[in-house]
Amino acid sequence: MLIFVGNGIGQELRCNVTVSARGIQGANQNLFRTMQSDLYDFMNNRKWTDHVYSYDEKIRCNILIRLDEQISADEFKGSIQVQLTRPIFNTSYTSTVLNIKDNDFHCKYVEFQPLEFNETSNRDNLTNIMAFYAYVILGFDYDTFSEEGGTEYFQKAQAIVNNSQNARERGWKAFESERNRYWLIENVLNKSYSSFRTCMYNYHRNGLDLMSEKVEEGRANIADALRDIQKVFRRRPSTYILQMFFDAKADELVNIFSKSFPDERNRVMAILNEVDPSNGRKYEKIAENEGF
């Protein structure tokens, strides 16, 4: 595995990029080192917004690309995992906002050839995927600081999806899967599921950020925010953004509410067991009143 962690000198993102090509036997590892360095520069040194960030304000995220198959000298398939974390006000704690694994990573890469991204075409699937997730990262980060504050960036991600409808690579079209890039951005911008974004704001800004000063009030706001997730579930249980939410938040929720009052714990557990039964065993720790 190759790991590239720079000084974060760049624009909005402080993005660590890792490329693993262990699944490809006999491959030229120098190629993947160069690919990794190029992708790091693409994510960190490109200006994605009109805003000015200090070093400490940069958005912390991680991208892990696993290449499992080499189709030709310059064509690869694998997966990409995207993680976004957010600092919590007045603490050293960082909360995981996103933890997405996308199994439809298919790209061409030519060593030493500049990476080009065009917002109005699907010329290069590699830079389209990376730019898509850059805007998704920005959108979710902004949503946690102001209500629906990330709309502009989600719309940019949606434009990339729209431009990629004729792409031969998977991941961009509705009929290919119920959990891909198309459905991620469709769910986020779908007004029928707007309570999801309300939850993201209240969970982080009125919940976690408040807990350093007012633990009980902040925790109660998080419990209320989960009702918004419940609304999405009752509208459409298989919605992709629900899986995304709990992939990022299940362990954190156990940590928060295992220190809660009995009535609050019971209310939260009832919601969690309804909307996220797959993590039911994990949520049993809440009832045991144990942190970790």
Side-chain angles (χ1 to χ4, degrees), residues 19 55 58 111 127 153 211 244 262-263 274 285 289:
V19 174
Y55 177 80
K58 292 181 187 295
E111 192 172 15
T127 55
Y153 308 107
M211 287 184 70
M244 288 168 42
D263 286 349
E274 176 187 351
K285 296 179 183 177
N289 195 24

Side-chain angles (χ1 to χ4, degrees), residues 30-174:
N30 288 330
L31 173 72
F32 304 119
R33 291 187 183 96
T34 307
M35 178 182 182
Q36 183 173 260
S37 178
D38 285 347
L39 292 177
Y40 176 89
D41 289 341
F42 181 80
M43 295 299 289
N44 289 285
N45 295 333
R46 184 181 179 88
K47 185 70 174 167
W48 298 102
T49 77
D50 296 327
H51 301 154
V52 177
Y53 282 67
S54 70
Y55 177 80
D56 290 336
E57 292 173 333
K58 292 181 187 295
I59 299 169
R60 299 175 187 179
C61 50
N62 298 287
I63 290 179
L64 169 61
I65 296 170
R66 294 186 186 274
L67 300 176
D68 302 317
E69 182 181 355
Q70 184 167 4
I71 300 170
S72 66
D74 63 355
E75 190 170 2
F76 308 91
K77 280 186 176 182
S79 64
I80 180 170
Q81 187 162 0
V82 180
Q83 185 182 68
L84 163 66
T85 59
R86 176 195 188 278
I88 300 306
F89 178 72
N90 206 27
T91 75
S92 59
Y93 177 68
T94 57
S95 176
T96 299
V97 179
L98 283 179
N99 188 15
I100 304 169
K101 185 178 181 184
D102 178 344
N103 290 318
D104 290 321
F105 187 83
H106 183 176
C107 72
K108 285 189 173 185
Y109 173 77
V110 178
E111 192 172 15
F112 307 124
Q113 181 173 301
L115 296 180
E116 296 182 0
F117 170 61
N118 188 320
E119 292 193 359
T120 62
S121 75
N122 65 345
R123 181 182 311 169
D124 180 19
N125 202 55
L126 175 58
T127 55
N128 280 356
I129 293 173
M130 301 301 287
F132 172 84
Y133 282 116
Y135 286 128
V136 166
I137 287 166
L138 287 162
F140 273 95
D141 186 75
Y142 276 67
D143 263 15
T144 68
F145 286 101
S146 62
E147 197 159 1
E148 297 196 0
T151 298
E152 174 184 354
Y153 308 107
F154 289 133
Q155 289 172 341
K156 287 180 177 290
Q158 187 179 51
I160 296 173
V161 171
N162 292 340
N163 292 335
S164 300
Q165 289 305 294
N166 293 325
R168 66 185 180 91
E169 299 90 351
R170 290 177 55 87
W172 302 108
K173 303 176 187 70

Side-chain angles (χ1 to χ4, degrees), residues 12 20 28 34 88 125 160 188-189 193 224 233 254 259:
E12 299 86 356
S20 171
N28 176 10
T34 307
I88 300 306
N125 202 55
I160 296 173
V188 169
L189 290 174
Y193 312 135
D224 286 341
F233 176 83
V254 173
K259 304 176 181 70

Side-chain angles (χ1 to χ4, degrees), residues 207-246:
L208 291 178
D209 282 347
L210 187 62
M211 287 184 70
S212 65
E213 298 177 350
K214 301 177 181 179
V215 174
E216 294 175 6
E217 184 177 342
R219 190 170 55 213
N221 288 341
I222 293 173
D224 286 341
L226 291 176
R227 296 185 185 277
D228 288 318
I229 291 293
Q230 188 179 42
K231 292 176 185 176
V232 176
F233 176 83
R234 290 179 174 178
R235 183 172 290 272
R236 189 164 182 262
S238 62
T239 306
Y240 181 27
I241 50 176
L242 292 176
Q243 177 190 326
M244 288 168 42
F245 180 83
F246 290 110

